Amino acid sequence: MTATVGVAVFPGTNCELDSIHAVETLGGDGKILWHSTKNLSGVDAVIIPGGFAHGDYLRPGAIARFSPLMSAIAKFAKNGGPVLGICNGFQVLTEAGLLPGALQKNNGLKFLCKTVQVRVETENTTLTRKAEKGMELSLPINHFEGNFTCDLDTLNSLIDHDRVVLRYCDNPNGSIDDIAGVCNETRNVVGLMPHPERACDLLLGSEDGKVLFESLLGSN
Amino acid sequence: MVDSLHRVLGLSDEEATKIGDILKRTPNPLELAMYSVMWSEHCSYKSSRLHLSRLPTSAPWVLVGPGENAGVIDVGDGIAVAIRIESHNHPSAIEPYQGAATGVGGILRDIFTMGARPIALMDSLRFGSLDDARSCWIAEGVVSGISGYGNAVGVPTVGGEIDFDSTYQGNPLVNVLCLGTLPKDRLVLGRASGIGNLAVLLGSSTGRDGIGGVSVLASAGFSNQVDVEKRPSVQVGDPFEEKRLIEACLEIFDSNLVVGIQDLGGAGLTCATSETASRGGVGMDVDISAVPQREPGMEAHEIMISESQERMLAIIEPNNLDLLFEICAKWEVNANVIGRVTAGDKLRILDRFDGNVLAEIPASSLHDDAPIYDRPKKKPEENKTVSSEKLKVKSDVVSDLLSLLSDPSWVYSQYDHQLFLNTVVGPGYDATVLKLRDPVSGLETNKGLAITTDGNHRWCAVNPRVGTKLIVAEGVMNLSCVGAHPLALVNCLNFGNPENPEVMWELSESIDGMAEACEGFGIPVVGGNVSLYNESSGVNISPTPIVGLVGKIEELHRKPPGFELLEGNRLVLLGPSHIDVGGSLWSALHGLNSGELIDVDLETHKVLADLVRSLVSDGIIDGIHDLSAGGLGVALAEMVAKSKFGITVARIPDALSLFGEGPSRVLVSINSENVNELLSRAESANIPTTRLGLVGGDRFIVKDLIDVPKETIDLAFLTQLPNALGVGTVSA
């Protein structure tokens, strides 16, 4: 059975077509979810893609979290539905309280677009079940506010409960404990700053993102 | 009062008389203001138009040539490409971040106006020298502005170039190129037609930003307001507004709702209303009271010439209005009917459609009747004859080489260059390579587009005609290095004050050189922009024509070779060995902008470009680099810095051979097994070859000249820009 992946679009979102392309390359079906809808029927998984939802005004994700779609996604996640937030989508998920922590400005105070190495830290999430722990992936990053931070209790809890999904091999942005991606307590909601949809084609430099999409598509 | 107002507005006495003759009466202040912006150098190209007509503009694949918002070419598979380059030099000098940001916004609108989705941006940047603090501040601000606007608006910045030279001190150059794709049959033009059709203003409200001459106007007593503030004349950009405007317009085009559409750029509403009307051979009534205004109390002339960003003017049939409003509401874009297409040829500005007529002008007179000047030209005195000296400096070859190296990745790592999954070769190489996708389905065509921007003021300062030919030739070779053949050229002509006969001579010579090269290579010029009055403290910049070339790769199956050197590879130089120091980066390093330029033989260059293209598309070679500024030495060092290995080369006897510059030279890195194939292909094409040496080890060795560790090269390459411009963000 083909998995249908809903891809959220807010005004200012720009990675929706790239995300759909990656999903469809791996045999899934992509479906646009406009921010004003509350209808997720027929959707097996949700991606909140990268971009600048609502212009990133106020703070990245701060306005998007109030959209009707986000309340539907919160319900979907609560019922165990797989939800993936990429880059701006990760920021939206932290603002919406579906993931802990926050993304602040990179420690170099510059936007950064380049390919980095990240390490898979757990196989036990909706995004990594087909990957191997310790495996290194070459994935592009593309963000100004990608510096993950949280208080020490939260950090310890993330570590104790194996909720750090990806770590940077060479920290590009100052993220606490090199964290590039985390999951929620029930492991079905994952946020990451790197863009796996940009790494599904060798001609573009890497296809290391495929294993993550395969995990997401097979996670139902 | 009005008699002297024209001078305050920058119109000459003759121009004012001509306006009176057109109207057969004395123009009122609003009319005068409208003529003043449309007849400005910026809008009318009055000093350059005569010369631009010498450029070749046609080819069977050209769908739209110069004169529209962007050039459009047919690239096959039912796909068309829209391309344009434009300068935003003066705003960037005053307010680097917003100047550059609004430059990006403006060029994007030129592209989606044509019905195309913008898919790529490139920037050609020039700043004063790196040891000047203000120039560094400008450079940092411009890069941040491009990053801040381009990334947020969701169009990748996939390439460009950057250079630093004291000639740009106080007058940086910010030239932005944009490329978009569209289904060939969706081409939209900026013209009004259909009496009774509506002109709908989309996007931002209109404010007092970007009113250049108007602060002068006000102070000349034009307005009765006593407290008109002198607002900054640099516009402020809002990428989020532009992103929504792009999506709304593309959806409007998909629904086939517009008759014509025009973006609002320089000269704002005056330009957009008069251009659409005059192109369509109709008149237009404009109700300025219907224009949404950012603040109360705006005067008619302010509304008509404001350059507030993120606005479009759509011409639609009245029965499509509801659908258009619906799409705009979805994207949260304002839409207001502000005009009606009328019979006749008059542009009328009204206070309400049934109210007072504030201005009444033949629409076409704002464009077609703009003056054309054949300004005096004068060849400068030949006072640059230091050439015979042949750079008798006792230069230190190693330290010279290290000073000439500069990695632009500090700049482009701040730009999203990967969005849309097209970027096969990104910034930092000879040319950018993008996958060519169907603009509607997104499906790949297995073909590619290649884009390059090139400029070299050092060459053009020595000889603007030959220098410009060399730039076009370099663009052609850059495309060949990624396996592409050229289809079209756009240009941005950045020159000094045209009232200076020597500057006019440079401009005219440069255009002749460009025409000669384009004719020789069979490349049509499909668009351009002229930026004059680039001067600071009375000193004109060196002539800086920038060219953007777009080419096509017929089969894009593998990544083109790039700079990377593989261990054991052989290094071979292709092309004539005729070089000189005239206009070279090396002589500039030693403060000399002198000497002779070696002219390019267009036929030889074409043969070499064909050879290189075949080597790349047949997968014969592993690495390639076009030789340009800095000559063979810089090309070798750049390839080493981008690779894991060092090199050992010979047959480079002296500094001149290392740093001299000449046309039609390409460095290739090739597996030893393929060397014979390369040599025999070169021989049958009658292209000279020089076997230089091989790749390996961890040192950079030029026999009897240089022997340094590879890390020394890497360090100089990587650190120059981050050290000068800010906190280092480069990590290899």
Side-chain angles (χ1 to χ4, degrees):
Chain A
M1 201 192 85
T2 313
T4 298
V5 179
V7 178
V9 178
F10 308 92
T13 297
N14 61 33
C15 296
E16 71 276 20
L17 295 180
D18 295 1
S19 300
I20 289 177
H21 186 82
V23 164
E24 296 189 343
T25 300
L26 290 159
D29 269 341
K31 180 186 174 189
I32 295 276
L33 301 174
W34 189 242
H35 64 109
S36 58
T37 186
K38 278 191 161 187
N39 181 3
L40 297 189
S41 65
V43 166
D44 303 309
V46 169
I47 293 177
I48 308 175
F52 293 74
H54 295 280
D56 273 2
Y57 288 155
L58 193 56
R59 275 191 318 274
I63 299 173
R65 62 167 283 214
F66 292 107
S67 65
L69 179 62
M70 280 314 295
S71 53
I73 289 176
K75 205 177 286 174
F76 179 79
K78 203 177 167 196
N79 293 332
V83 176
L84 171 62
I86 301 169
C87 195
N88 192 228
F90 186 12
Q91 295 162 342
V92 173
L93 288 172
T94 59
E95 286 288 337
L98 294 175
L99 287 174
L103 284 311
Q104 56 183 351
K105 279 191 164 55
N106 298 338
N107 63 355
L109 296 180
K110 295 283 177 207
F111 191 97
L112 267 185
C113 177
K114 63 182 206 170
T115 296
V116 300
Q117 295 294 116
V118 296
R119 194 171 53 245
V120 175
E121 299 290 17
T122 173
E123 297 164 21
N124 184 18
T125 75
T126 193
L127 186 69
T128 50
R129 64 182 60 203
K130 297 203 172 168
E132 281 166 33
K133 186 174 173 176
M135 139 187 236
E136 287 188 9
L137 306 176
S138 183
L139 301 177
I141 55 167
N142 186 64
H143 56 243
F144 203 148
E145 285 97 353
N147 179 350
F148 182 79
T149 188
C150 59
D151 59 58
L152 274 181
D153 286 344
T154 307
L155 179 65
N156 288 330
S157 162
L158 286 174
I159 293 168
D160 291 346
H161 297 95
D162 192 30
R163 285 171 57 193
V164 176
V165 183
L166 299 169
R167 277 198 175 86
Y168 298 109
C169 299
D170 183 9
N171 194 336
N173 55 24
S175 289
I176 191 166
D177 201 25
D178 302 332
I179 289 174
V182 298
C183 66
N184 66 348
E185 282 173 19
T186 46
R187 319 193 76 81
N188 60 319
V189 178
V190 181
L192 76 168
M193 286 316 295
H195 285 262
E197 83 281 8
R198 295 184 178 190
C200 294
D201 181 350
L202 269 186
L203 201 49
L204 301 179
S206 166
E207 51 183 9
D208 291 357
K210 280 184 172 176
V211 67
L212 303 180
F213 283 101
E214 281 164 1
S215 304
L216 182 75
L217 288 171
S219 59
N220 251 7
Chain B
M1 178 185 84
V2 173
D3 284 348
S4 59
L5 179 62
H6 69 262
R7 288 195 199 159
V8 179
L9 289 168
L11 289 164
S12 70
D13 292 352
E14 294 75 28
E15 288 168 347
T17 307
K18 193 173 173 185
I19 294 167
D21 291 347
I22 292 168
L23 298 180
K24 300 191 181 65
R25 60 178 165 80
T26 307
N28 69 33
L30 171 59
E31 291 164 341
L32 211 49
M34 290 167 69
Y35 277 103
S36 79
V37 288
M38 291 307 297
W39 286 13
S40 69
E41 189 64 59
H42 179 83
C43 289
S44 72
Y45 294 72
K46 58 189 168 188
S47 302
S48 58
R49 231 175 350 157
L50 185 72
H51 302 284
L52 293 172
S53 63
R54 297 199 296 270
L55 294 170
T57 57
S58 58
W61 55 89
V62 175
L63 300 176
V64 178
E68 282 278 352
N69 292 294
V72 182
I73 56 168
D74 184 349
V75 295
D77 296 279
I79 305 170
V81 161
I83 186 167
R84 180 169 168 89
I85 187 168
E86 201 162 60
S87 63
H88 232 220
N89 303 340
H90 293 130
S92 304
I94 298 164
E95 214 297 275
Y97 185 99
Q98 290 298 343
T102 53
V104 173
I107 194 77
L108 287 169
R109 287 191 295 281
D110 284 327
I111 295 301
F112 71 83
T113 298
M114 306 302 293
R117 175 175 284 283
I119 61 164
L121 289 161
M122 311 253 284
D123 311 288
S124 210
L125 309 177
R126 300 289 186 277
F127 304 105
S129 50
L130 282 171
D131 54 13
D132 172 51
R134 186 173 169 84
S135 294
C136 290
W137 173 77
I138 292 175
E140 227 249 331
V142 164
V143 170
S144 298
I146 292 169
S147 168
Y149 197 101
N151 297 341
V153 81
V155 178
T157 299
V158 297
E161 26 144 33
I162 187 166
D163 202 354
F164 299 86
D165 190 299
S166 55
T167 191
Y168 304 113
Q169 191 141 348
N171 195 123
L173 302 185
V174 176
N175 293 182
V176 190
L177 177 149
C178 185
L179 179 146
T181 54
L182 67 153
K184 202 176 134 188
D185 52 17
R186 196 178 71 188
L187 187 59
V188 188
L189 295 176
R191 59 195 57 189
S193 63
I195 312 304
N197 281 346
L198 305 175
V200 188
L201 184 61
L202 310 177
S204 285
S205 53
T206 298
R208 284 191 170 115
D209 54 333
I211 303 180
V214 167
S215 48
V216 190
L217 249 182
S219 57
F222 172 39
S223 162
N224 290 328
Q225 275 179 277
V226 241
D227 59 345
V228 172
E229 294 174 47
K230 291 187 180 178
R231 296 299 169 90
S233 51
V234 178
Q235 314 88 321
V236 176
D238 179 351
F240 180 48
E241 180 79 41
E242 179 109 334
K243 167 72 175 167
R244 287 180 284 120
L245 195 56
I246 292 176
E247 300 301 335
C249 284
L250 291 175
E251 199 169 323
I252 288 166
F253 300 149
D254 278 338
S255 311
N256 206 15
L257 295 185
V258 300
V259 174
I261 193 161
Q262 173 78 35
D263 70 304
L264 275 72
L269 267 176
T270 300
C271 182
T273 52
S274 63
E275 253 179 34
T276 46
S278 80
R279 283 194 192 124
V282 294
M284 192 178 289
D285 280 358
V286 177
D287 170 14
I288 54 160
S289 73
V291 176
Q293 292 155 40
R294 226 168 267 178
E295 55 187 308
M298 283 182 68
E299 296 283 321
H301 69 267
E302 292 177 314
I303 296 167
M304 284 308 294
I305 69 177
S306 159
E307 295 184 2
S308 287
Q309 297 289 293
E310 291 95 22
R311 297 180 299 162
M312 302 284 282
L313 188 72
I315 312 295
I316 66 157
E317 291 173 8
N319 57 4
N320 285 328
L321 190 60
D322 288 344
L323 278 173
L324 181 129
F325 281 158
E326 207 174 285
I327 293 171
C328 289
K330 173 184 167 190
W331 289 104
E332 298 167 29
V333 166
N334 284 326
N336 293 82
V337 176
I338 62 139
R340 287 179 190 156
V341 177
T342 57
D345 66 345
K346 293 282 194 294
L347 173 64
R348 297 198 309 164
I349 310 304
L350 312 165
D351 185 8
R352 301 184 197 288
F353 282 123
D354 54 357
N356 290 338
V357 177
L358 306 178
E360 183 166 354
I361 294 175
S364 61
S365 70
L366 290 166
H367 310 266
D368 303 347
D369 295 341
I372 295 182
Y373 293 129
D374 187 3
R375 294 195 187 274
K377 304 189 293 263
K378 180 169 165 280
K379 187 177 179 183
E381 296 289 318
E382 290 281 351
N383 58 357
K384 345 174 174 174
T385 46
V386 204
S387 60
S388 53
E389 300 266 318
K390 286 285 180 198
L391 207 68
K392 280 182 186 164
V393 281
K394 285 194 174 171
S395 66
D396 178 328
V397 179
V398 173
S399 84
D400 280 6
L401 177 64
L402 298 179
S403 313
L404 298 181
L405 297 179
S406 170
D407 177 19
S409 63
W410 179 85
V411 173
Y412 65 70
S413 66
Q414 296 179 48
Y415 305 152
D416 181 352
H417 49 265
Q418 301 168 325
L419 186 67
F420 302 147
L421 308 180
N422 290 327
T423 315
V424 176
V425 178
Y429 294 91
D430 285 333
T432 290
V433 176
L434 303 178
K435 286 185 172 187
L436 176 63
R437 286 177 197 275
D438 184 290
V440 178
S441 66
L443 292 176
E444 296 181 14
T445 60
N446 297 320
K447 300 181 177 99
L449 292 175
I451 327 168
T452 172
T453 56
D454 292 288
N456 190 317
H457 63 281
R458 291 175 294 271
W459 295 345
C460 294
V462 171
N463 185 332
R465 179 188 290 250
V466 173
T468 306
K469 275 169 76 177
L470 288 173
I471 291 164
V472 177
E474 179 175 342
V476 168
M477 196 59 75
N478 284 339
L479 294 184
S480 275
C481 286
V482 295
H485 60 90
L487 287 178
L489 180 146
V490 289
N491 61 54
C492 209
L493 304 173
N494 306 277
F495 286 77
N497 186 335
E499 293 157 43
N500 176 333
E502 295 191 355
V503 170
M504 237 9 253
W505 178 84
E506 290 171 344
L507 176 62
S508 172
E509 285 289 299
S510 175
I511 288 172
D512 282 336
M514 190 175 294
E516 201 184 320
C518 287
E519 269 157 20
F521 294 125
I523 306 172
V525 177
V526 298
N529 167 241
V530 181
S531 170
L532 302 177
Y533 298 97
N534 289 290
E535 56 181 339
S536 142
S537 314
V539 182
N540 290 300
I541 62 160
S542 294
T544 314
I546 299 288
V547 301
L549 275 90
V550 60
K552 189 179 173 194
I553 300 171
E554 293 301 338
E555 288 180 47
L556 185 59
H557 296 310
R558 65 170 87 81
K559 200 170 168 139
F563 293 174
E564 199 175 345
L565 303 167
L566 304 181
E567 193 166 27
N569 269 9
R570 302 297 195 264
L571 291 164
V572 181
L573 179 63
L574 303 178
S577 49
H578 196 184
I579 52 171
D580 206 330
V581 295
S584 70
L585 187 59
W586 186 48
S587 63
L589 178 69
H590 293 287
L592 299 172
N593 291 313
S594 61
E596 296 288 326
L597 273 193
I598 299 168
D599 202 348
V600 53
D601 179 299
L602 297 178
E603 274 313 308
T604 306
H605 197 81
K606 255 190 336 199
V607 171
L608 178 61
D610 290 344
L611 171 68
V612 165
R613 195 181 310 114
S614 79
L615 293 170
V616 170
S617 44
D618 294 346
I620 308 270
I621 50 180
D622 295 323
I624 189 160
H625 198 349
D626 173 45
L627 263 54
S628 179
L632 183 55
V634 165
L636 283 167
E638 284 179 353
M639 290 182 89
V640 164
K642 291 260 193 179
S643 311
K644 295 189 184 75
F645 306 100
I647 55 166
T648 304
V649 295
R651 297 184 177 140
I652 305 172
D654 51 21
L656 173 63
S657 321
L658 196 65
F659 299 125
E661 297 175 20
S664 315
R665 301 162 80 224
V666 174
L667 176 63
V668 301
S669 160
I670 182 166
N671 186 302
S672 59
E673 287 171 9
N674 288 342
V675 171
N676 285 339
E677 173 71 18
L678 168 74
L679 296 179
S680 82
R681 284 192 191 201
E683 197 181 356
S684 36
N686 211 14
I687 294 292
T689 52
T690 313
R691 300 179 68 161
L692 294 174
L694 75 164
V695 177
D698 57 2
R699 297 188 75 78
F700 184 95
I701 302 170
V702 180
K703 205 164 169 250
D704 301 327
L705 212 56
I706 300 178
D707 184 351
V708 295
K710 177 184 175 335
E711 293 90 69
T712 307
I713 300 287
D714 296 350
L715 195 68
F717 182 67
L718 288 171
T719 54
Q720 184 173 156
L721 279 191
N723 283 353
L725 292 180
V727 185
T729 52
V730 171
S731 50

